[in-house]
């Protein structure tokens, strides 16, 4: 399996990586749908309700209480998967990372061209004046965070349920996937749309899926590896 993956990587010149929550679980960030993920924990409301635009508008105090507790992970570090993908970009083999994650770990690892489909917890903006605030501003504030300048609510730059994806980010991701000669899908169950539908734009030579559970893309894949992605990408094999 590992040798087959390395052979595909070595023969590629335009790899795109499409990843989800499973990429960051080895950095200590919970996967929403895993056995130990947020969807299996108990709250007054399910996470998909709390993380909706309607809930943010109607129950902002409860939204931010949950958000600070579960969505902000301040001490997370890139793992072997993030680091290998950044290395492949430096080597000129990988052209883009398309991620559903909001943790900024791909950029922390050194990746330059990252399409964040669902935004980032590292960026926060005042809904009234547009002023920028970092993650620590939200993490250390109490109650509903408000802009010191105008009093507007400071909202995370993340795509909540009921909100649309950023058109520029979406367009860039589609273009990258269309041009790729190899698409590596990793750490995603491919059940969250419209993000999951982007893989349908791939027309290249090799499709690889690295995920602990089966996905809808498995039947089309040249190679499926059901192991932790950090483990898989850390085992770089030298080809003779």
């Amino acid at each position: 399996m590992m040798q087959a993956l390395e052979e595909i990587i070595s023969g590629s010149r335009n790899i795109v990586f499409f990843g989800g929550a499973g990429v960051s679980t080895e950095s200590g960030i919970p996967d929403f749908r895993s056995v130990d993920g947020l969807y299996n924990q108990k709250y007054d409301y399910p996470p998909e309700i709390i993380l909706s635009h309607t809930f943010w508008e109607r129950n902002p105090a409860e939204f931010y209480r949950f958000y600070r507790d579960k969505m902000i992970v301040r001490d997370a570090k890139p793992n072997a998967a993030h680091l290998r993908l950044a290395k492949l970009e430096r080597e000129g083999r990988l052209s883009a990372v398309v991620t559903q994650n909001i943790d900024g770990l791909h950029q922390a690892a050194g990746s330059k061209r990252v399409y964040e489909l669902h935004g980032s917890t590292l960026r926060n903006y005042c809904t009234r004046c547009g002023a920028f605030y970092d993650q620590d501003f939200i993490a250390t504030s109490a109650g509903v965070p408000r802009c010191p300048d105008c009093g507007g609510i400071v909202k995370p730059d993340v795509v909540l349920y009921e909100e649309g994806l950023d058109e520029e980010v979406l367009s860039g991701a589609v273009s990258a996937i269309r041009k790729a000669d190899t698409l590596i899908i990793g750490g995603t169950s491919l059940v969250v749309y419209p993000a999951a539908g982007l893989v349908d734009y791939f027309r290249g030579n090799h499709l690889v899926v690295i995920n602990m559970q089966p996905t809808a893309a498995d039947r089309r894949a040249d190679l499926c590896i059901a192991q932790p992605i950090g483990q898989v990408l850390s085992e770089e094999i030298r080809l003779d």
Side-chain angles (χ1 to χ4, degrees):
M1 286 283 192
M2 303 305 178
Q3 179 155 345
L5 173 62
E6 293 301 327
E7 287 175 352
I8 290 174
I9 289 174
S10 67
S12 303
R13 293 295 178 270
N14 187 2
I15 301 170
V16 168
F17 177 80
F18 181 95
V23 178
S24 292
T25 53
E26 290 167 83
S27 294
I29 297 177
D31 179 346
F32 273 59
R33 290 175 176 80
S34 69
V35 172
D36 298 313
L38 295 181
Y39 274 75
N40 290 281
Q41 299 180 27
K42 305 299 182 183
Y43 303 98
D44 291 340
Y45 302 90
E48 66 267 27
I49 297 298
I50 298 175
L51 297 174
S52 68
H53 185 84
T54 296
F55 196 92
W56 173 79
E57 285 187 319
R58 296 178 180 176
N59 302 277
E62 183 68 8
F63 171 90
Y64 284 103
R65 186 173 74 87
F66 177 90
Y67 184 85
R68 290 187 189 95
D69 187 32
K70 295 299 179 184
M71 306 306 293
I72 295 178
V73 184
R74 300 166 78 184
D75 57 353
K77 304 294 183 185
N79 62 51
H82 299 105
L83 296 171
R84 178 72 189 286
L85 293 168
K87 181 173 182 281
L88 288 172
E89 184 181 40
R90 291 194 300 273
E91 294 171 350
R93 295 190 184 279
L94 184 141
S95 61
V97 169
V98 179
T99 181
Q100 299 172 83
N101 295 340
I102 58 177
D103 50 45
L105 291 181
H106 285 292
Q107 293 92 327
S111 291
K112 303 299 182 186
R113 191 179 180 196
V114 181
Y115 294 103
E116 296 176 306
L117 297 175
H118 297 154
S120 173
T121 61
L122 305 185
R123 299 186 300 269
N124 304 274
Y125 297 96
C126 174
T127 55
R128 185 176 298 169
C129 72
F132 169 84
Y133 293 93
D134 62 15
Q135 180 174 259
D136 284 345
F137 179 85
I138 300 290
T140 59
S141 61
V144 178
R146 292 190 176 273
C147 176
D149 296 329
C150 75
I153 295 177
V154 178
K155 182 177 182 291
D157 187 21
V158 299
V159 179
L160 302 178
Y161 289 98
E162 304 169 346
E163 295 180 344
L165 303 187
D166 181 275
E167 288 297 328
E168 186 174 341
V169 172
L170 187 60
S171 176
V174 168
S175 178
I177 291 172
R178 272 181 169 155
K179 295 174 182 175
D181 59 8
T182 294
L183 178 63
I184 300 176
I185 299 171
T188 175
S189 52
L190 293 180
V191 298
V192 176
Y193 282 82
L198 298 188
V199 301
D200 294 334
Y201 289 97
F202 178 63
R203 295 292 184 271
N205 300 322
H206 296 289
L207 176 63
V208 176
V209 177
I210 308 171
N211 199 58
M212 294 296 291
Q213 304 298 327
T215 79
D218 290 4
R219 58 183 176 80
R220 296 173 46 201
D222 299 275
L223 182 63
C224 294
I225 303 177
Q227 296 179 35
I229 189 167
Q231 175 184 322
V232 172
L233 292 184
S234 68
E235 297 177 9
E236 185 174 355
I237 299 172
R238 299 186 67 85
L239 302 174
D240 295 330

